[in-house]
């Protein structure tokens, strides 16, 4: 039997069910054993009683009671990465040193495995990113499957812990670019709607969606969490569509997508939060503009600034737009070099 353990949730482990997280960590546990520990109060999060389906968040501490020893795991071969996938993920590298690898993640590629995601994801493909190291690099944060842009991987456990702490304590600055329906007014502002998760329709929770909650109602809404997003309009085509910079001050699931939709300006190509039936200030089209504009999600993690956990340098990385957004920008007459790297600093 093991001893009582207290485990802190890392940023790459957050936003998943407690039972699934626990069984990944301790494969010898059955679902029945997890639920029994919850009923008896032996399994706790931040000192409180929990249920098996409680969702865990970055920085929380999980108390794990003594567990039976795991049986020796059978030797399994890691799935082979195809040459084309290896070439694709290597081509996505935009910066690296001895400690960190930065990718420009393509849209449509999940950050890691999960319900309905299959076996092809950044975490799995990172086997091709060892570059002479014995272990593959570790994800320290995530992007939604359909969101492109900068994604960091740590090449050692020490650096992974340092970067995770930086994200947890918001010592990073992420700026996203998005095309949104209509033109937000005012052209620069802050969204403070809380977010609460609505259950999905599938057995594994597929189809989950975040519902916006007015700030005054957050404390009275079970499961609601405060969320803050800064936005700035960089350019627009009449009142039809805008190029926006978005900064997530907090890091909730689907935060940028849900916040922009709640403002009435859903992100172009966002079928979950901006379907064509939704009324909004973009003349009621939802997030589809038609014509030559791609139906893919137009949300891109454009830049990321962070303090290097080893060298202590301030690093700022920029990721080029994916092909479908480049085509949209060309169609709308928008040029990347015509806008400031950080419009919020320009406004101060």
């Amino acid at each position: 039997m093991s001893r009582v353990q207290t485990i802190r949730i890392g940023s790459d482990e957050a936003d998943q069910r407690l039972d699934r997280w626990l069984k990944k960590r301790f494969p010898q546990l059955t679902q029945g054993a997890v639920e029994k520990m919850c009923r008896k109060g032996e399994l706790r999060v931040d000192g409180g009683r929990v249920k098996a389906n409680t969702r865990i968040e970055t920085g929380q501490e999980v108390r794990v009671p003594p567990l039976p020893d795991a049986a020796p795991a059978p030797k399994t071969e890691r799935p082979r990465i195809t040459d084309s996938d290896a070439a694709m993920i290597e081509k996505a590298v935009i910066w690296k040193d001895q400690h960190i690898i930065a990718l420009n993640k393509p849209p449509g590629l999940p950050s890691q495995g999960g319900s309905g995601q299959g076996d092809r994801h950044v975490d799995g493909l990172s086997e091709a990113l060892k570059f002479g190291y014995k272990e593959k690099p570790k994800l320290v944060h995530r992007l939604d499957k359909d969101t492109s842009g900068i994604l960091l991987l740590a090449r050692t456990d020490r650096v992974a812990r340092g970067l995770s702490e930086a994200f947890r304590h918001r010592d990073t600055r992420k700026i996203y670019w998005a095309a949104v329906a209509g033109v937000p007014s005012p052209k620069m502002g802050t969204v403070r709607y809380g977010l609460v998760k609505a259950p999905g329709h599938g057995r594994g929770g597929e189809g989950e969606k975040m519902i916006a909650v007015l700030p005054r109602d957050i404390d009275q809404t079970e499961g609601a969490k405060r969320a803050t997003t800064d936005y700035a309009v960089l350019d627009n085509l009449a009142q039809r569509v805008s190029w926006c910079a978005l900064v997530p001050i907090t890091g909730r699931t689907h935060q940028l997508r849900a916040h922009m939709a709640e403002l009435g300006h859903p992100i172009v190509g966002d079928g979950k939060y901006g379907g064509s039936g939704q009324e909004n200030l973009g003349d009621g089209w939802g997030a589809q503009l038609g014509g030559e504009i791609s139906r893919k999600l137009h949300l891109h993690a454009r830049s990321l600034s962070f303090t290097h956990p080893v060298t202590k340098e301030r690093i700022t990385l920029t990721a080029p737009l994916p092909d479908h957004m480049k085509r949209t920008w060309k169609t709308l007459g928008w040029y990347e070099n015509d806008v400031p790297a950080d419009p919020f600093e320009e406004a101060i």
Side-chain angles (χ1 to χ4, degrees), residues 308-329:
H308 197 293
V310 177
T311 68
K312 305 306 178 184
E313 290 181 81
R314 191 69 181 176
I315 306 293
T316 298
L317 303 174
T318 301
L321 289 170
D323 289 342
H324 74 282
M325 291 181 69
K326 285 181 182 177
R327 290 192 297 269
T328 295
W329 262 231

Side-chain angles (χ1 to χ4, degrees), residues 2-16:
S2 65
R3 298 180 178 180
V4 173
Q5 302 176 61
T6 300
I7 304 173
R8 182 182 290 272
I9 303 301
S11 61
D12 59 334
E13 301 176 303
D15 196 29
Q16 61 177 309

Side-chain angles (χ1 to χ4, degrees), residues 16-23 31-57 60 62-63 222:
Q16 61 177 309
R17 286 170 53 126
L18 175 63
D19 51 359
R20 293 174 186 163
W21 171 84
L22 196 65
K23 287 190 287 184
Q31 183 67 24
V34 175
E35 293 178 359
K36 182 178 180 180
M37 288 190 290
C38 290
R39 287 196 302 271
K40 294 174 69 176
E42 297 174 335
L43 186 64
R44 292 176 175 259
V45 175
D46 288 343
R49 297 178 72 100
V50 288
K51 296 181 179 180
N53 64 354
T54 296
R55 299 194 78 87
I56 54 177
E57 300 292 343
Q60 289 182 324
V62 182
R63 178 197 183 274
E222 184 178 358

Side-chain angles (χ1 to χ4, degrees), residues 42-114:
E42 297 174 335
L43 186 64
R44 292 176 175 259
V45 175
D46 288 343
R49 297 178 72 100
V50 288
K51 296 181 179 180
N53 64 354
T54 296
R55 299 194 78 87
I56 54 177
E57 300 292 343
T58 300
Q60 289 182 324
E61 293 188 339
V62 182
R63 178 197 183 274
V64 180
L67 301 176
D69 294 331
K75 291 184 178 180
T76 57
E77 292 186 4
R78 291 175 175 172
R80 181 181 178 276
I81 300 173
T82 65
D83 291 343
S84 60
D85 276 346
M88 178 274 295
I89 202 70
E90 288 181 26
K91 186 178 179 182
V93 175
I94 56 174
W95 182 87
K96 69 181 176 72
D97 66 4
Q98 293 177 308
H99 312 285
I100 300 167
I101 295 173
L103 302 180
N104 184 7
K105 187 187 82 67
L109 181 66
S111 295
Q112 58 189 153

